[in-house]
Each structure stands twice: as C-alpha cells, then as structure tokens.
Amino acid sequence: MRRAGIERLLPAAYQRACVPGSVLWALLEVMEGLHAPDEAVLAEVDALFAPYRAPGEMVAYLARWVAMDHLVAAPRRDAPLPLPLSRLRDLVAHGAHLAAWRGTPDGLRTVLELATGVTGFVLDEPPDRPFHLVVRVPAAVADQVALIGRIVEAEKPAAVTAEVIVDSAPVVEPAPADRAVGRASVPSGPAVTEPAAVHPAVADPVDPAPEEPS
C-alpha cells in the first residue's frame, strides 16, 4: 500500500500532522516499503500455481499437490531434486492426466518419458509370471535407474511386482516436452535387445523353476 493510501486511513488530526519531514511522514514511508514485497507477490499470485511460471522452490511443492511426492522426497529440505527442474514442471503440468491414468501401461510409460526426457521404454508382462511387470530402460538413462525404480514402484498397481532392466541398445530420440500426453510412442526398430543388467535394487527376486523329475 502506498504512503498516501495509508495516510487516508488515519484520523483527520493525524492526516494534518503528516507533513514532509515529520516523524509520521517517515513512519508511513517505512510502512510503504515493508508492504512492497507482499504486494508484488499478490499482484501475480496466479503465477505461484502455474507449473511453468512458478519459482523453482514452489514447483516441488506443487508436485506434492498432484501426487508426485515420490519424485521430490528427500532426506533434507536443501537436497537437490533427483531430476531437472524443467522435467518436474512437465510432470506437474500433466499431473491431472497422469493421475487419471495411474496404474496403466500408458500412464507409467508417459511418466517415465516426462521424467527422463527420452522415449523407448518397453513394458513386458511375462506370460509365465502373472502379475509381474518388466520395465526395459534405454541405455542412455541407465544413470537414472534409481529414479526410474521409484517411479515404477509408485505408478504400478499395488498387486503387481516389477523389475527394471537396462537395455544395451542405443537410446532413441529425446521426447519433446510438448508432446501430447498419453500418446506413448513405440520405436520403429527392435524395441528390446539383450538386457545388459538387472538392477536388484528395483527388481523382485525370481524363484528358480522346479526341475523336471528324471
């Protein structure tokens, strides 16, 4: 609030005493300065809730509003985010859509693509292992396997077990940020090559098949 606006709220006697150089004049100048930061925030308060306009520290807070807690959870408040801020903004912007498709193959694939910035994730359901999901990850995002494991654990159906396998094939082209959500692309070449590694941190143990009696 401006000094003149505050002055008009005062009794008439105080208004007459508020002249340049007076103590009251200086006090109202200080009050105007104290109000300025809050008024600047209120003037653009809608930006606080817009994924692509909100300050960086606000985006992590918004992620919790759209059930993305598993992506921003950290042991310390000052710990860095496990993914770039631009990708977190994409996830928040599509949060309502992702929540509607949570627990489906398209929903999981879309979250993985938005969080890592690449396409090429392949979801397999082995016929010999009911209620089990194998997520094959492009080799170029092998360094993000811990994040991918957290996403898979949070997005898959609760009754389904899952494991993450990193493929040795080259990664496909990066996924554009403005790609239509829910339209997961499938690479034109072979989708899966021989897996390079299975990460036990995100993989479920597999019981060995019983031997046939001789």
Side-chain angles (χ1 to χ4, degrees), residues 5 17 36 94 115 210:
H94 298 108

Side-chain angles (χ1 to χ4, degrees), residues 53-139:
R53 296 169 58 200
E57 59 273 15
M58 186 68 178
V59 179
Y61 181 71
L62 294 178
R64 294 182 172 92
W65 281 18
V66 293
M68 293 289 176
D69 305 60
H70 51 286
L71 295 180
V72 296
R76 303 190 319 272
R77 294 185 61 182
D78 58 344
L81 293 173
L83 72 168
L85 182 60
S86 60
R87 294 177 190 161
L88 187 58
R89 291 183 188 275
D90 291 337
L91 288 166
V92 172
H94 298 108
H97 178 94
L98 296 175
W101 288 92
R102 174 165 288 179
T104 67
D106 285 344
L108 174 57
R109 190 181 294 108
T110 301
V111 174
L112 292 173
E113 291 176 357
L114 289 173
T116 62
V118 301
T119 59
F121 291 90
V122 178
L123 309 182
D124 290 335
E125 299 181 47
D128 57 336
R129 295 192 65 187
F131 304 104
H132 184 72
L133 177 67
V134 177
V135 180
R136 301 189 182 274
V137 178

